Amino acid sequence: MSENCTHDCSSCGESCPSRNAQKPDFRAQANAHSRVKKVIGVVSGKGGVGKSLITSMMAVTMRRRGHSAAVLDADITGPSIPKAFGVHGMLSATDDGIIPAVSTTGIKLVSLNLLLENETDPVVWRGPVIAGTVKQFWTDVMWGDVDFMFVDMPPGTGDVPLTVFQSLPVDGILIVTSPQQLVGMIVEKAVHMAQMMNVPVLGLVENMAYFQCDACGKKHYIFGQSHLEEIASRNGIANSAQLPMDPSLAAACDAGQIEMFDGSWLEPIADAIEKL
Protein backbone atom coordinates (compact mmCIF):
# COMPACT_ATOMS: atom_id res chain seq x y z
CA MET A 1 0.00 0.00 0.00
CA SER A 2 1.35 3.44 -0.94
CA GLU A 3 2.28 5.94 1.79
CA ASN A 4 -0.18 8.39 0.23
CA CYS A 5 -3.05 5.90 0.04
CA THR A 6 -6.46 7.52 0.45
CA HIS A 7 -8.23 4.11 0.72
CA ASP A 8 -10.34 5.10 -2.29
CA CYS A 9 -9.58 2.51 -4.98
CA SER A 10 -11.88 4.22 -7.49
CA SER A 11 -9.43 7.13 -7.80
CA CYS A 12 -6.24 5.08 -7.70
CA GLY A 13 -4.33 3.28 -10.44
CA GLU A 14 -1.96 1.35 -8.20
CA SER A 15 -2.03 -2.45 -8.14
CA CYS A 16 -1.50 -3.08 -4.44
CA PRO A 17 -2.42 -6.08 -2.23
CA SER A 18 -5.28 -4.14 -0.69
CA ARG A 19 -6.84 -3.50 -4.10
CA ASN A 20 -6.37 -7.09 -5.25
CA ALA A 21 -7.66 -8.69 -2.05
CA GLN A 22 -10.21 -11.43 -2.58
CA LYS A 23 -13.78 -10.21 -2.34
CA PRO A 24 -15.72 -11.49 0.70
CA ASP A 25 -17.90 -14.55 0.15
CA PHE A 26 -21.46 -13.90 1.39
CA ARG A 27 -22.80 -17.32 0.41
CA ALA A 28 -24.83 -19.08 3.08
CA GLN A 29 -24.01 -22.58 4.21
CA ALA A 30 -26.49 -25.11 2.87
CA ASN A 31 -28.28 -27.44 5.25
CA ALA A 32 -26.10 -30.37 6.29
CA HIS A 33 -28.59 -32.72 4.62
CA SER A 34 -28.49 -30.91 1.26
CA ARG A 35 -26.35 -31.85 -1.72
CA VAL A 36 -27.44 -29.54 -4.54
CA LYS A 37 -25.23 -29.72 -7.62
CA LYS A 38 -26.54 -26.84 -9.76
CA VAL A 39 -28.67 -23.81 -8.88
CA ILE A 40 -30.50 -21.99 -11.67
CA GLY A 41 -32.32 -18.72 -11.02
CA VAL A 42 -35.40 -17.88 -13.08
CA VAL A 43 -35.89 -14.12 -13.27
CA SER A 44 -37.90 -11.47 -15.08
CA GLY A 45 -37.76 -7.70 -15.28
CA LYS A 46 -41.48 -7.38 -14.57
CA GLY A 47 -44.38 -9.45 -13.34
CA GLY A 48 -46.96 -11.32 -15.35
CA VAL A 49 -44.69 -12.80 -18.00
CA GLY A 50 -44.98 -16.43 -16.86
CA LYS A 51 -41.84 -16.86 -14.81
CA SER A 52 -43.37 -19.41 -12.44
CA LEU A 53 -44.71 -21.36 -15.42
CA ILE A 54 -41.24 -21.55 -16.98
CA THR A 55 -39.70 -22.50 -13.62
CA SER A 56 -42.16 -25.38 -13.25
CA MET A 57 -41.73 -26.58 -16.81
CA MET A 58 -37.92 -26.51 -16.57
CA ALA A 59 -38.00 -28.64 -13.41
CA VAL A 60 -40.37 -31.08 -15.12
CA THR A 61 -38.19 -31.17 -18.25
CA MET A 62 -35.02 -31.99 -16.30
CA ARG A 63 -36.88 -34.64 -14.31
CA ARG A 64 -38.06 -36.24 -17.54
CA ARG A 65 -34.43 -36.41 -18.61
CA GLY A 66 -33.63 -38.54 -15.58
CA HIS A 67 -32.23 -35.85 -13.27
CA SER A 68 -33.34 -35.11 -9.74
CA ALA A 69 -34.95 -31.68 -9.66
CA ALA A 70 -36.20 -29.18 -7.09
CA VAL A 71 -37.93 -25.80 -7.00
CA LEU A 72 -37.22 -23.16 -4.36
CA ASP A 73 -40.10 -20.71 -4.56
CA ALA A 74 -38.49 -17.35 -3.73
CA ASP A 75 -41.54 -15.37 -4.84
CA ILE A 76 -42.65 -15.02 -1.24
CA THR A 77 -45.57 -12.61 -1.70
CA GLY A 78 -46.91 -14.33 -4.83
CA PRO A 79 -46.16 -18.04 -4.48
CA SER A 80 -47.77 -20.11 -7.22
CA ILE A 81 -45.47 -23.13 -7.50
CA PRO A 82 -47.47 -25.42 -5.14
CA LYS A 83 -50.70 -24.83 -7.10
CA ALA A 84 -49.03 -25.64 -10.42
CA PHE A 85 -47.85 -28.98 -9.02
CA GLY A 86 -51.05 -29.74 -7.11
CA VAL A 87 -49.23 -29.80 -3.78
CA HIS A 88 -51.06 -28.64 -0.65
CA GLY A 89 -50.73 -28.90 3.10
CA MET A 90 -48.11 -27.85 5.63
CA LEU A 91 -44.48 -28.89 5.44
CA SER A 92 -43.11 -30.94 8.32
CA ALA A 93 -39.79 -30.54 10.09
CA THR A 94 -37.35 -32.36 12.35
CA ASP A 95 -34.54 -31.13 14.57
CA ASP A 96 -32.32 -31.24 11.47
CA GLY A 97 -34.47 -29.00 9.28
CA ILE A 98 -37.54 -28.63 7.11
CA ILE A 99 -38.62 -31.53 4.89
CA PRO A 100 -39.55 -30.39 1.35
CA ALA A 101 -42.77 -31.46 -0.32
CA VAL A 102 -42.47 -33.93 -3.18
CA SER A 103 -44.58 -33.79 -6.33
CA THR A 104 -46.14 -36.73 -8.18
CA THR A 105 -43.03 -37.31 -10.31
CA GLY A 106 -40.55 -36.72 -7.50
CA ILE A 107 -39.73 -33.00 -7.80
CA LYS A 108 -38.93 -31.44 -4.42
CA LEU A 109 -40.70 -28.18 -3.58
CA VAL A 110 -40.50 -25.52 -0.90
CA SER A 111 -42.76 -22.46 -0.88
CA LEU A 112 -44.10 -20.13 1.78
CA ASN A 113 -47.61 -21.25 0.84
CA LEU A 114 -46.66 -24.66 2.25
CA LEU A 115 -45.90 -23.02 5.60
CA LEU A 116 -49.14 -21.07 5.97
CA GLU A 117 -52.25 -22.41 7.71
CA ASN A 118 -54.40 -20.82 5.00
CA GLU A 119 -53.05 -20.65 1.44
CA THR A 120 -54.92 -17.41 0.75
CA ASP A 121 -53.45 -15.50 3.70
CA PRO A 122 -51.49 -12.46 2.42
CA VAL A 123 -47.83 -12.07 3.31
CA VAL A 124 -47.45 -8.46 4.45
CA TRP A 125 -43.73 -8.36 5.15
CA ARG A 126 -40.97 -5.84 4.51
CA GLY A 127 -38.14 -6.58 2.10
CA PRO A 128 -35.45 -7.66 4.60
CA VAL A 129 -37.80 -10.20 6.22
CA ILE A 130 -38.73 -11.64 2.82
CA ALA A 131 -35.07 -11.86 1.81
CA GLY A 132 -34.24 -13.59 5.09
CA THR A 133 -36.97 -16.16 4.51
CA VAL A 134 -35.56 -17.02 1.08
CA LYS A 135 -32.14 -17.49 2.65
CA GLN A 136 -33.66 -19.85 5.22
CA PHE A 137 -35.14 -21.95 2.43
CA TRP A 138 -31.52 -22.69 1.51
CA THR A 139 -30.03 -23.09 5.00
CA ASP A 140 -32.91 -24.78 6.87
CA VAL A 141 -34.42 -27.14 4.28
CA MET A 142 -33.10 -30.69 3.97
CA TRP A 143 -33.03 -30.85 0.17
CA GLY A 144 -31.12 -34.12 -0.05
CA ASP A 145 -29.58 -35.05 -3.41
CA VAL A 146 -30.60 -32.62 -6.15
CA ASP A 147 -29.04 -32.37 -9.61
CA PHE A 148 -30.80 -29.15 -10.66
CA MET A 149 -32.54 -26.66 -8.38
CA PHE A 150 -34.62 -23.90 -9.99
CA VAL A 151 -35.22 -20.75 -7.96
CA ASP A 152 -38.43 -18.92 -8.87
CA MET A 153 -37.59 -15.29 -8.07
CA PRO A 154 -39.95 -12.34 -7.75
CA PRO A 155 -39.83 -9.85 -10.63
CA GLY A 156 -37.41 -6.95 -10.66
CA THR A 157 -33.96 -6.36 -9.24
CA GLY A 158 -34.70 -5.79 -5.55
CA ASP A 159 -33.89 -7.42 -2.21
CA VAL A 160 -34.73 -11.03 -3.03
CA PRO A 161 -32.79 -11.38 -6.31
CA LEU A 162 -29.81 -9.70 -4.64
CA THR A 163 -30.08 -12.10 -1.68
CA VAL A 164 -30.24 -15.11 -3.99
CA PHE A 165 -27.25 -13.97 -6.05
CA GLN A 166 -25.16 -13.30 -2.93
CA SER A 167 -26.30 -16.13 -0.64
CA LEU A 168 -26.80 -19.08 -2.97
CA PRO A 169 -24.21 -20.66 -5.29
CA VAL A 170 -26.08 -19.63 -8.44
CA ASP A 171 -24.61 -21.28 -11.54
CA GLY A 172 -26.65 -19.22 -14.00
CA ILE A 173 -30.02 -17.65 -14.66
CA LEU A 174 -32.84 -17.92 -17.16
CA ILE A 175 -34.61 -14.70 -18.10
CA VAL A 176 -38.30 -14.81 -18.99
CA THR A 177 -39.84 -12.15 -21.20
CA SER A 178 -42.85 -11.49 -23.41
CA PRO A 179 -43.02 -9.99 -26.92
CA GLN A 180 -43.68 -6.31 -26.13
CA GLN A 181 -40.81 -3.92 -26.83
CA LEU A 182 -41.15 -2.36 -23.37
CA VAL A 183 -40.65 -5.72 -21.73
CA GLY A 184 -37.58 -6.24 -23.92
CA MET A 185 -36.10 -3.07 -22.46
CA ILE A 186 -36.89 -4.24 -18.93
CA VAL A 187 -35.26 -7.60 -19.66
CA GLU A 188 -31.96 -5.83 -20.21
CA LYS A 189 -32.09 -4.55 -16.64
CA ALA A 190 -32.11 -8.17 -15.46
CA VAL A 191 -29.25 -8.97 -17.83
CA HIS A 192 -27.19 -6.08 -16.48
CA MET A 193 -27.87 -7.12 -12.87
CA ALA A 194 -26.64 -10.62 -13.65
CA GLN A 195 -23.50 -9.13 -15.18
CA MET A 196 -22.93 -6.98 -12.10
CA MET A 197 -23.18 -10.11 -9.92
CA ASN A 198 -20.96 -12.15 -12.28
CA VAL A 199 -23.73 -14.68 -12.90
CA PRO A 200 -23.98 -16.07 -16.46
CA VAL A 201 -27.24 -15.81 -18.41
CA LEU A 202 -27.92 -19.34 -19.66
CA GLY A 203 -30.98 -18.60 -21.75
CA LEU A 204 -33.79 -16.26 -22.69
CA VAL A 205 -37.36 -17.56 -22.86
CA GLU A 206 -40.12 -15.59 -24.59
CA ASN A 207 -43.51 -16.56 -23.22
CA MET A 208 -46.81 -15.84 -25.03
CA ALA A 209 -44.76 -15.44 -28.22
CA TYR A 210 -47.54 -16.46 -30.60
CA PHE A 211 -50.81 -18.32 -30.99
CA GLN A 212 -50.84 -21.28 -33.36
CA CYS A 213 -54.14 -22.07 -35.07
CA ASP A 214 -55.30 -25.64 -34.53
CA ALA A 215 -56.93 -25.79 -37.97
CA CYS A 216 -54.27 -24.41 -40.29
CA GLY A 217 -51.14 -24.36 -38.11
CA LYS A 218 -50.44 -20.69 -38.86
CA LYS A 219 -48.73 -18.66 -36.15
CA HIS A 220 -50.42 -15.42 -35.12
CA TYR A 221 -48.29 -12.89 -33.22
CA ILE A 222 -50.97 -11.44 -30.95
CA PHE A 223 -48.66 -9.06 -29.07
CA GLY A 224 -46.60 -8.04 -32.09
CA GLN A 225 -43.62 -9.51 -33.86
CA SER A 226 -41.01 -11.18 -31.67
CA HIS A 227 -37.82 -9.34 -30.71
CA LEU A 228 -36.31 -12.42 -29.05
CA GLU A 229 -33.36 -12.96 -31.36
CA GLU A 230 -32.55 -9.26 -31.42
CA ILE A 231 -32.50 -9.00 -27.62
CA ALA A 232 -30.53 -12.24 -27.23
CA SER A 233 -27.93 -11.14 -29.79
CA ARG A 234 -27.58 -7.66 -28.31
CA ASN A 235 -26.88 -9.12 -24.87
CA GLY A 236 -24.70 -12.03 -25.94
CA ILE A 237 -27.20 -14.72 -24.90
CA ALA A 238 -26.56 -17.90 -26.87
CA ASN A 239 -29.68 -19.90 -26.02
CA SER A 240 -33.30 -18.88 -26.49
CA ALA A 241 -36.74 -20.45 -26.73
CA GLN A 242 -40.31 -19.40 -27.47
CA LEU A 243 -43.43 -20.58 -25.67
CA PRO A 244 -46.79 -20.16 -27.43
CA MET A 245 -50.10 -19.01 -25.97
CA ASP A 246 -51.44 -22.48 -25.26
CA PRO A 247 -54.66 -22.81 -23.23
CA SER A 248 -53.65 -26.32 -22.20
CA LEU A 249 -50.72 -24.93 -20.19
CA ALA A 250 -52.98 -22.61 -18.20
CA ALA A 251 -55.41 -25.45 -17.64
CA ALA A 252 -52.62 -27.74 -16.43
CA CYS A 253 -51.45 -25.14 -13.89
CA ASP A 254 -54.98 -24.49 -12.65
CA ALA A 255 -55.53 -28.23 -12.21
CA GLY A 256 -52.17 -28.77 -10.48
CA GLN A 257 -50.99 -30.96 -13.35
CA ILE A 258 -48.06 -29.05 -14.87
CA GLU A 259 -46.11 -32.33 -14.82
CA MET A 260 -48.45 -33.56 -17.56
CA PHE A 261 -47.68 -30.80 -20.08
CA ASP A 262 -46.93 -31.87 -23.63
CA GLY A 263 -44.44 -29.85 -25.68
CA SER A 264 -40.74 -29.59 -26.51
CA TRP A 265 -40.41 -25.78 -26.56
CA LEU A 266 -37.85 -25.65 -23.74
CA GLU A 267 -35.59 -28.47 -24.92
CA PRO A 268 -32.85 -26.08 -26.24
CA ILE A 269 -32.66 -24.43 -22.83
CA ALA A 270 -32.53 -27.85 -21.12
CA ASP A 271 -29.65 -28.82 -23.43
CA ALA A 272 -27.68 -25.77 -22.29
CA ILE A 273 -28.36 -26.46 -18.61
CA GLU A 274 -27.30 -30.09 -18.94
CA LYS A 275 -23.93 -28.94 -20.28
CA LEU A 276 -23.22 -27.27 -16.95
Side-chain angles (χ1 to χ4, degrees):
M1 184 182 296
S2 170
E3 295 178 357
N4 300 319
C5 181
T6 64
H7 302 285
D8 182 8
C9 294
S10 64
S11 61
C12 175
E14 296 293 329
S15 180
C16 63
S18 178
R19 184 187 185 93
N20 296 326
Q22 185 176 2
K23 294 181 180 180
D25 188 352
F26 296 105
R27 286 182 296 181
Q29 183 67 40
N31 184 279
H33 298 273
S34 298
R35 292 166 297 279
V36 181
K37 294 180 181 178
K38 299 295 178 183
V39 178
I40 313 298
V42 183
V43 307
S44 64
K46 67 183 296 295
V49 297
K51 175 179 44 58
S52 297
L53 171 64
I54 302 302
T55 301
S56 303
M57 293 176 67
M58 285 306 312
V60 173
T61 299
M62 301 313 290
R63 185 75 183 112
R64 289 176 178 177
R65 292 184 173 210
H67 304 290
S68 55
V71 176
L72 189 160
D73 189 356
D75 196 352
I76 300 297
T77 59
S80 55
I81 293 297
K83 181 174 179 58
F85 283 90
V87 174
H88 305 280
M90 298 275 286
L91 296 178
S92 58
T94 69
D95 291 339
D96 295 323
I98 299 170
I99 301 172
V102 180
S103 73
T104 303
T105 63
I107 298 172
K108 297 177 181 179
L109 311 170
V110 166
S111 171
L112 189 66
N113 252 22
L114 299 175
L115 294 170
L116 299 175
E117 290 186 8
N118 189 341
E119 292 180 349
T120 60
D121 287 344
V123 179
V124 188
W125 295 349
R126 294 192 182 276
V129 178
I130 294 174
T133 301
V134 171
K135 190 174 179 179
Q136 284 185 285
F137 283 171
W138 176 254
T139 60
D140 295 1
V141 174
M142 299 185 294
W143 289 102
D145 292 313
V146 174
D147 293 328
F148 296 99
M149 172 183 284
F150 294 91
V151 182
D152 183 15
M153 295 197 212
T157 55
D159 285 342
V160 172
L162 183 60
T163 296
V164 172
F165 284 144
Q166 290 185 330
S167 302
L168 275 62
V170 181
D171 295 282
I173 66 169
L174 302 178
I175 299 178
V176 183
T177 182
S178 60
Q180 298 94 324
Q181 184 66 44
L182 174 62
V183 176
M185 177 272 292
I186 295 175
V187 163
E188 297 191 358
K189 293 181 181 290
V191 172
H192 294 156
M193 183 178 187
Q195 293 171 343
M196 290 172 62
M197 305 303 296
N198 294 317
V199 176
V201 179
L202 302 176
L204 181 62
V205 181
E206 184 179 47
N207 189 28
M208 300 177 285
Y210 58 87
F211 171 76
Q212 189 163 13
C213 177
D214 292 336
C216 66
K218 182 179 179 180
K219 294 182 179 179
H220 301 272
Y221 295 90
I222 307 297
F223 296 113
Q225 198 64 31
S226 172
H227 297 278
L228 179 67
E229 293 184 4
E230 174 190 341
I231 295 172
S233 176
R234 186 164 62 240
N235 292 281
I237 303 173
N239 306 292
S240 61
Q242 288 183 312
L243 203 67
M245 299 176 66
D246 190 336
S248 67
L249 292 177
C253 287
D254 289 343
Q257 298 179 345
I258 191 59
E259 291 165 292
M260 303 299 291
F261 86 86
D262 183 21
S264 59
W265 309 288
L266 298 178
E267 295 299 328
I269 303 296
D271 290 340
I273 291 176
E274 268 190 336
K275 292 178 182 178
L276 291 174

